[in-house]
Amino acid sequence: MGRYLRKIFSLEDIKYSWILLLSSFLFGITNFIDQLYSGDPIWVLISYWFSIAIAVLWGALNYISHIRMNSLYKKQDDIRLYVNQLAMNEEDKLELQTYLEDYVHDLIQQGNSEVDATREAINQFKVKEFLNLSKNSLFFNLHAHYYLVGWTIVSILASIVVWALDVAIFPYSLITLTLEITFIVYAFGLFGMFILYKIIDTTIYRKFKDLF
């Protein structure tokens, strides 16, 4: 259970987070302005759709970024990438990376090339204990994107905190209501993106099986 929690709360795995923040900021501003009007001006609707479009763009870039990182990892010649895709705390990662680098140094002294030595070192640690710590799924060893579940949980907790502040300190505040709505909307969006990524992985895997 502990390793799954580490995978879920590896929140730094998210890529291009500034694009997602831009989307959420635009959505929040739009929602705040929307609450000031009795109707829905067309420019408000356009702003909503634009914020959603930015979020979709983030989803595509984030997925592609992880595919690119995964292609580098699969070359098995970068110790840092191998260690970073394990669900371990930073201290354990540093200790493992140092050990692997020392092992590579020993292999090089025995006459191996640096690339062969690095691959050998990484392969030596592809045992069950370390495979279980991998954040990647079985489909092409792609990133499993557990961090999206973590960010969903964070967003929901943030909405609860804002709601509590709204009730206790800022009753009927448009700002707190806007924050609540934004956190909830993006919590659903992040979890929906997690499901979408899984559907894409499954589709690619099935297409691959059909071709080969």
Side-chain angles (χ1 to χ4, degrees):
M1 183 65 180
R3 69 173 181 268
Y4 288 112
L5 287 176
R6 286 196 295 271
K7 294 176 183 180
I8 288 173
F9 289 102
S10 295
L11 303 179
E12 74 281 359
D13 286 354
I14 194 170
K15 305 301 177 185
Y16 299 104
S17 56
W18 65 272
I19 297 179
L20 187 60
L21 285 173
L22 176 62
S23 170
S24 60
F25 180 77
L26 178 60
F27 181 91
I29 292 295
T30 304
N31 183 262
F32 180 80
I33 295 174
D34 189 22
Q35 294 181 63
L36 299 176
Y37 290 91
S38 57
D40 289 326
I42 186 64
W43 61 268
V44 169
L45 296 177
I46 292 174
S47 186
Y48 272 130
W49 282 108
F50 192 59
S51 65
I52 294 172
I54 294 175
V56 171
L57 173 64
W58 165 80
L61 292 175
N62 183 61
Y63 188 82
I64 292 171
S65 176
H66 281 291
I67 289 180
R68 288 178 176 173
M69 290 181 61
N70 188 261
S71 66
L72 292 174
Y73 159 70
K74 289 182 71 176
K75 293 179 181 178
Q76 300 180 5
D77 56 4
D78 191 318
I79 289 175
R80 183 183 58 82
L81 284 176
Y82 172 73
V83 173
N84 283 341
Q85 61 87 42
L86 297 176
M88 305 168 68
N89 61 49
E90 292 304 317
E91 183 178 349
D92 290 339
K93 284 183 179 180
L94 182 59
E95 183 178 345
L96 176 59
Q97 182 173 334
T98 301
Y99 180 86
L100 287 172
E101 288 172 347
D102 290 341
Y103 186 41
V104 168
H105 180 69
D106 292 339
L107 291 174
I108 291 175
Q109 288 186 328
Q110 296 173 19
N112 293 279
S113 68
E114 184 177 357
V115 173
D116 290 340
T118 303
R119 289 177 178 173
E120 175 63 23
I122 292 175
N123 284 328
Q124 288 294 325
F125 279 81
K126 284 192 172 180
V127 294
K128 183 178 180 180
E129 290 77 12
F130 284 95
L131 291 176
N132 286 336
L133 291 174
S134 176
K135 300 173 188 174
N136 297 334
S137 67
L138 294 177
F139 296 144
F140 305 120
N141 204 30
L142 293 174
H143 201 294
H145 300 286
Y146 294 108
Y147 61 90
L148 290 176
V149 177
W151 278 111
T152 299
I153 295 172
V154 169
S155 297
I156 292 173
L157 291 177
S159 69
I160 293 174
V161 170
V162 174
W163 172 80
L165 290 174
D166 187 17
V167 172
I169 304 175
F170 308 110
Y172 308 109
S173 170
L174 287 181
I175 294 177
T176 53
L177 180 59
T178 296
L179 289 174
E180 288 175 45
I181 293 173
T182 301
F183 280 127
I184 289 297
V185 167
Y186 278 78
F188 277 105
L190 287 167
F191 191 72
M193 193 65 70
F194 173 74
I195 295 174
L196 179 60
Y197 283 177
K198 292 303 178 185
I199 293 173
I200 293 173
D201 287 348
T202 304
T203 302
I204 294 174
Y205 179 68
R206 288 177 177 173
K207 291 294 183 182
F208 183 83
K209 286 183 66 176
D210 291 341
L211 291 174
F212 299 97

